[in-house]
Amino acid sequence: MFNQLGVIGCGLMGGSFALALKRAGLVRRVIGYSKSPSTTELAKRLGVIDDAAESALLAVAGSDIVLLAVPVAATEATFKAIRHLVEPGVLFMDVGSTKRDVVDTARRVLKERIGSFVPAHPIAGKESAGVTHADAALYSGRQVILTPLPQTDPVLVQKATDVWSKIGSQVLKMSAENHDAAFAAVSHLPHLLAFAYFSAIINQPAGRDFLSLAGPGFRDFTRIAASDPAVWRDILLANREEVLKQTQRFRHSLDAIEHVIKAGNPQALEDLIRGAADGRSGWQIGGGRGGSSGK
């Protein structure tokens, strides 16, 4: 059991982690910090945290496990605010959807203290953000990717594995580079396409009329276009190199389909569709229930 969890960012992800640890009996006390004092006060009233800290540093003080649940763009500023209390034996994790930029920032800011940091990415979320939507079961049955560095303390990697496992997550480990390449393909590109596709619909003169005719398939296909704009701005820019590789692959695939449609070649078109349909039919979703935000 941990004596104290320090949560920096008391929103959906941080709040859900706090509730999950409380429910599993893994922590005695939770202290939280958010940029907005009203958020931490609300988190306290909801029982998500036990006490509100006035700064990120004070959330770390006295904690033996710390979760950084901040946007990826805020990672560097957060590390700078807490680095003097990043001590050996204290487990520090994040929940960022990109990892290479987070790891590079940690190396630059934490320096010799980097051994305490275990980068993490839980594949979980909801369309609705904020601490009011925090859920102790958010991470249950979900995958969590750890991307430890060579300098990361192996004892803390095991602690991170154990804590995520005990709240019901399936833990995988890979390099930050492999993580970002994979999630550019299965998460970041789909969001980019959903944003672009929905924009293309609503910016047509008759777009609103078209939407009135949309059915469940359209809703399923476009659901992630409603994701948080600021969060996805940061993710797409942070992982731009891998995302752009995936846009090129998608463009080649789209070009191939457009080519056979223009040529009026029904067999070639059916073959392309069949290849995708067979691949999708044979695919089994990993990690339990699918993430609602796709992060």
Side-chain angles (χ1 to χ4, degrees):
M1 175 182 281
F2 294 97
N3 183 55
Q4 180 173 293
L5 165 65
V7 178
I8 302 173
C10 300
L12 172 67
M13 304 297 280
S16 295
F17 187 75
L19 289 175
L21 263 61
K22 285 187 171 189
R23 186 176 72 170
L26 295 175
V27 66
R28 293 188 176 89
R29 180 171 181 261
V30 178
I31 185 166
Y33 167 76
S34 288
K35 286 180 66 176
S36 170
S38 62
T39 298
T40 44
E41 286 306 316
L42 178 58
K44 187 175 179 181
R45 289 201 304 273
L46 293 173
V48 173
I49 64 175
D50 300 309
D51 287 294
E54 294 182 359
S55 68
L57 190 64
L58 289 176
V60 174
S63 297
D64 47 353
I65 178 173
V66 176
L67 188 75
L68 280 65
V70 300
V72 290
T75 303
E76 182 167 2
T78 304
F79 277 144
K80 286 180 177 178
I82 68 172
R83 61 184 168 189
H84 299 301
L85 288 183
V86 177
E87 300 291 347
V90 178
L91 173 59
F92 289 80
M93 295 186 292
D94 74 318
V95 295
S97 297
T98 55
K99 294 270 72 85
R100 190 163 54 182
D101 59 322
V102 170
V103 165
D104 289 344
T105 297
R107 286 193 178 103
R108 185 170 61 254
V109 177
L110 298 182
K111 298 179 181 178
E112 72 279 358
R113 300 171 185 259
I114 200 170
S116 294
F117 180 52
V118 181
H121 176 201
I123 316 305
K126 296 180 178 180
E127 282 87 357
S128 301
V131 69
T132 55
H133 300 283
D135 179 0
L138 183 70
Y139 302 114
S140 181
R142 303 293 184 92
Q143 291 182 332
V144 174
I145 314 296
L146 303 182
T147 62
L149 292 77
Q151 306 97 310
T152 305
D153 183 346
V155 173
L156 294 181
V157 176
Q158 188 59 52
K159 280 188 178 181
T161 303
D162 292 344
V163 72
W164 286 110
S165 297
K166 287 176 181 177
I167 62 173
S169 301
Q170 177 189 357
V171 181
L172 304 175
K173 300 182 183 71
M174 63 180 65
S175 70
E177 291 77 14
N178 287 344
H179 169 280
D180 285 3
F183 281 90
V186 301
S187 176
H188 306 165
L189 178 67
H191 279 79
L192 183 154
L193 297 179
F195 299 142
Y197 172 67
F198 206 87
S199 293
I201 295 292
I202 61 175
N203 288 323
Q204 295 181 44
R208 298 293 176 179
D209 295 330
F210 294 163
L211 289 178
S212 69
L213 302 173
F218 179 88
R219 288 195 294 273
D220 290 344
F221 185 75
T222 61
R223 176 180 54 82
I224 56 176
S227 299
D228 188 309
V231 168
W232 281 95
R233 172 202 65 201
D234 291 347
I235 290 171
L236 293 173
L237 289 176
N239 200 25
R240 64 171 69 92
E241 181 179 333
E242 295 296 339
V243 169
L244 292 174
K245 289 179 184 177
Q246 292 300 324
T247 61
Q248 289 298 316
R249 290 179 180 273
F250 172 76
R251 187 169 285 111
H252 292 325
S253 182
L254 182 61
D255 286 346
I257 293 174
E258 286 184 345
H259 176 74
V260 297
I261 290 175
K262 289 176 181 177
N265 188 332
Q267 188 58 56
L269 179 58
E270 182 179 342
D271 289 345
L272 289 173
I273 294 171
R274 188 178 304 283
D278 290 347
R280 180 61 177 83
S281 297
W283 171 63
Q284 296 295 320
I285 298 176
R289 53 195 173 109
S292 57
S293 74
K295 288 169 61 177

